[in-house]
Amino acid sequence: MLFAQITLNGLLLGGLYACMAMSFSLIWGVMNIINLAHGSMMLLGAYVTYSLHVRTGIDPILTMPVSAAVLFVLGYSLQKFVFNRAAMRSIYMTLIMTFGLDMMLINLNLALFTADMRSITTWYSGLALDIGGLRIAYTRLLAFVIALLMAFALYYFLKVSRTGRAIRATAQDPRLARVVGIDAARIYGVTFGLGAAMAGATGSLITVVYVFSPVIGDSFTLKSFVVVVLGGLGNVPGTILAGVFLGIVENLVSGFIDAGYRDAISFCLLILILVLRPNGFLGKSSYAVSRA
Amino acid sequence: MPFRAPSSQSAPAAPDARRSAGGRRTLLVALTLCAALIVLLLAPFHVSLYWQRVISMAFMFATLAQAINLIAGFAGYPAFGNVVFFGLGSYAAAIVMVRGGSFALGIGVAVLTSLVTVLLVGPVLLRLRGHYFAIATVGLNEMVKALASNWGPLTGGGMGLSVPLPPWGPAESAQVFYYLLLTTMVGSILIAAWLKVSRLGYACRAIRDDEVKAEAMGLRTTTVKTAVWALSAMLTGVVGAIYAYWFSYVEPPAVFDMLIAIKFFVMFLLGGAATVFGPIVAAFFVEFVSTVIWSNLLHYHLGVLGLGIVLIVLYMPHGFMQFVRDRGSLLAVLFKPKG
């Protein structure tokens, strides 16, 4: 029973991991940028939700469009004015630059919202569904469902819509994309904006599940990375599967071995997968760039 | 995408004019180096303890930046998580000294630990490239950090370890560490200078420019990469050991701190990859700037440093040395023969 409960909690957490990894994967796969500011962008979204909730009492879930919009503007302008100019040159530059960005965002969050740990308590926070002795917290269930919905929405957007197809085309070959009339610079802007928006919306989701402060962003970034590598860059079903897998493994390790080894285990997994199956679980990618 | 080595001669000139200019340049460089060394050797007698500490810190980071230059600059493998060897070195020294070993033994064990770690993980991790290698090394750092935080009996766990204090008074102790770190830095410069002209160095650059071709030419790429990473790791480990004795306290979040890694990575990038003096000059520059920012803008130093990094990448993507070279070497401007 304990085993089932822990696995279930891991599964629900995994949905969030999958969602945060999706936007990370999008930016990485299309532009070859490892966005080290990913976690801080999520936290910015979380703080947008937090301020709205404190001022107006609005439900955190309903603020998701707002934080997504704020982050979209931020992401689009960053790509347009900063990354398009410099960071596409080499991986050293992208890593360093996004880390500089991360430092600025952490400082911004610290200055605006202080280092206090925050969380949001809604009217349904303490309630849980009871299925044959297994307890499912409503907040986690809600976060899980919305996270998966967002992940699938992104998947279909990329697959079906005109912009989505342009994004995939640009990821595969920016030069040929230009030949058929796609404005690559604009697509990069939209992609980064979209990735940031989704990070912001995920940030809104975590406010009901996690206790957060401006300095915990790095762990989200690293987890996103692990999930993307496990699932295969650009492979959406793989990413979702990997997110759920990581959530379950992490919960089992901290439940049955030692919570202190939780992160170590996820990195062991990371290195194992990198060496044994460099293309991820499912081994096939849908929009990843071949350069790496 | 690896860095291209900055071309040493950018201005086309007549052969003998170039030779005499080159000769003059070598002389100037040698004179500058001697002057710098003398100034640094005498400095502890003329500056306050505070500045002595700041300069010692600059030595430390200069060595770390040079160490990352060996693997990332020469061989093109961005070992982003190289700070793991800093942590390993400081823990190795701390553990030895807590059990009554001498500082020299501590340094020896630190070097050995770094070497063994690279020999164990190097051949595996060095199969990865680019982003994957970079983040895998970060993962290695996180793993070792988790191990250090949880292996209580050996490492003291999250409480950290208190290293026995040096037997000297504060002023002498500051001088000892000053000279120790200065020596380490000079050593790191010599290693880089040697690598620049040695077979191993050429092999590294061949790998950086095109690994497949290098392998086709018969280079044992894995051996070369592991060797140069081991060199970088041992240097980083030595600095870690000195740090442990200097600060007399180690704890996992302090010595496995990714911010340290970022700092020396920025210094290395700013200095220019695969140059001998670039990372050193950049380390001094960054260390002094960040000290000034820290002491004047305590609440915003993180943001200001971040902004600085972004601006550097935007406007000096090929580093400090190349930035100066592109604008007609400062030396050349200052010492241009008349007419």
Side-chain angles (χ1 to χ4, degrees), chain B residues 248-331:
Chain B
S248 65
Y249 176 64
V250 291
E251 59 167 346
V255 293
F256 293 103
D257 187 0
M258 273 309 289
L259 260 178
I260 299 180
I262 295 298
K263 214 165 157 185
F264 63 63
F265 221 85
V266 169
M267 290 164 174
F268 145 70
L269 280 180
L270 183 58
T275 60
V276 175
F277 290 103
I280 307 289
V281 174
F284 275 81
F285 175 75
V286 172
E287 193 54 35
F288 288 127
V289 169
S290 70
T291 304
V292 169
I293 293 173
W294 181 278
S295 50
N296 290 312
L297 297 163
L298 191 57
H299 288 294
Y300 298 101
H301 77 273
L302 202 61
V304 175
L305 279 181
L307 183 66
I309 290 173
V310 171
L311 290 178
I312 285 169
V313 174
L314 274 179
Y315 295 107
M316 290 186 204
H318 299 293
F320 218 51
M321 300 301 247
Q322 193 63 23
F323 185 78
V324 174
R325 255 186 229 129
D326 287 348
R327 274 148 196 79
S329 156
L330 275 184
L331 290 177

Side-chain angles (χ1 to χ4, degrees), chain A residues 28-287:
Chain A
W28 183 6
V30 174
M31 284 167 293
N32 206 23
I33 291 177
I34 299 264
N35 182 18
L36 292 180
H38 185 66
S40 293
M41 286 183 164
M42 283 173 57
L43 285 171
L44 193 59
Y47 279 109
V48 169
T49 297
Y50 180 79
S51 345
L52 284 174
H53 177 75
V54 168
R55 290 216 166 69
T56 65
I58 187 171
D59 190 273
I61 304 299
L62 297 179
T63 64
M64 284 173 64
V66 183
S67 45
V70 170
L71 267 292
F72 183 87
V73 173
L74 178 74
Y76 186 83
S77 351
L78 274 176
Q79 180 63 36
K80 181 132 189 164
F81 297 114
V82 182
F83 288 107
N84 269 349
R85 291 190 50 187
M88 317 285 281
R89 273 194 277 246
S90 83
I91 64 160
Y92 297 81
M93 295 303 167
T94 58
L95 287 174
I96 287 294
M97 190 154 206
T98 56
F99 193 85
L101 192 66
D102 187 42
M103 287 163 83
M104 286 161 75
L105 282 180
I106 291 174
N107 206 157
L108 179 78
N109 283 340
L110 278 173
L112 291 179
F113 306 104
T114 75
D116 293 346
M117 300 300 276
R118 309 276 190 194
S119 65
I120 295 182
T121 313
T122 55
W123 59 268
Y124 48 84
S125 284
L127 304 176
L129 209 60
D130 199 317
I131 304 176
L134 287 180
R135 289 176 59 78
I136 306 175
Y138 278 125
T139 48
R140 292 191 176 210
L141 186 63
L142 194 63
F144 177 74
V145 170
I146 294 178
L148 282 193
L149 281 179
M150 280 202 313
F152 280 116
L154 181 65
Y155 183 52
Y156 277 101
F157 173 77
L158 287 176
K159 193 140 201 179
V160 176
S161 77
R162 209 176 150 75
T163 315
R165 279 182 292 162
I167 288 175
R168 282 188 295 138
T170 316
Q172 278 166 11
D173 193 328
R175 237 160 37 97
L176 279 183
R178 224 166 280 148
V179 169
V180 295
I182 295 170
D183 180 355
R186 194 185 72 89
I187 286 300
Y188 284 150
V190 171
T191 311
F192 206 105
L194 208 61
M198 204 164 145
T202 320
S204 300
L205 274 185
I206 66 168
T207 58
V208 295
V209 181
Y210 273 97
V211 177
F212 55 97
S213 85
V215 294
I216 63 164
D218 288 353
S219 72
F220 290 136
T221 310
L222 285 170
K223 278 196 179 71
S224 306
F225 187 89
V226 173
V227 171
V228 172
V229 172
L230 284 176
L233 179 58
N235 188 330
V236 177
T239 305
I240 294 174
L241 202 66
V244 171
F245 178 73
L246 181 70
I248 293 175
V249 169
E250 269 194 9
N251 258 31
L252 287 179
V253 167
S254 45
F256 290 111
I257 301 174
D258 186 344
Y261 283 113
R262 206 174 67 171
D263 288 350
I265 289 296
S266 62
F267 283 105
C268 269
L269 267 179
L270 170 76
I271 290 176
L272 270 180
I273 287 286
L274 275 176
V275 173
L276 298 178
R277 277 193 78 78
N279 288 323
F281 280 162
L282 306 182
K284 173 176 78 90
S285 55
S286 53
Y287 61 77

Side-chain angles (χ1 to χ4, degrees), chain B residues 33-88:
Chain B
L33 284 182
C34 287
L37 195 59
I38 290 171
V39 168
L40 289 178
L41 280 174
L42 294 179
F45 301 102
H46 300 281
V47 298
S48 65
L49 271 180
Y50 174 75
W51 279 103
Q52 212 169 309
R53 193 184 165 86
V54 172
I55 301 173
S56 305
M57 230 28 198
F59 291 156
M60 184 178 109
F61 273 104
T63 316
L64 293 174
Q66 192 69 278
I68 193 72
N69 188 22
L70 301 182
I71 176 72
F74 284 92
Y77 273 74
F80 215 47
N82 231 23
V83 69
V84 67
F85 303 111
F86 182 79
L88 275 174

Side-chain angles (χ1 to χ4, degrees), chain B residues 148-163:
Chain B
S149 319
N150 290 293
W151 196 353
L154 187 67
T155 63
M159 306 237 301
L161 282 177
S162 286
V163 183

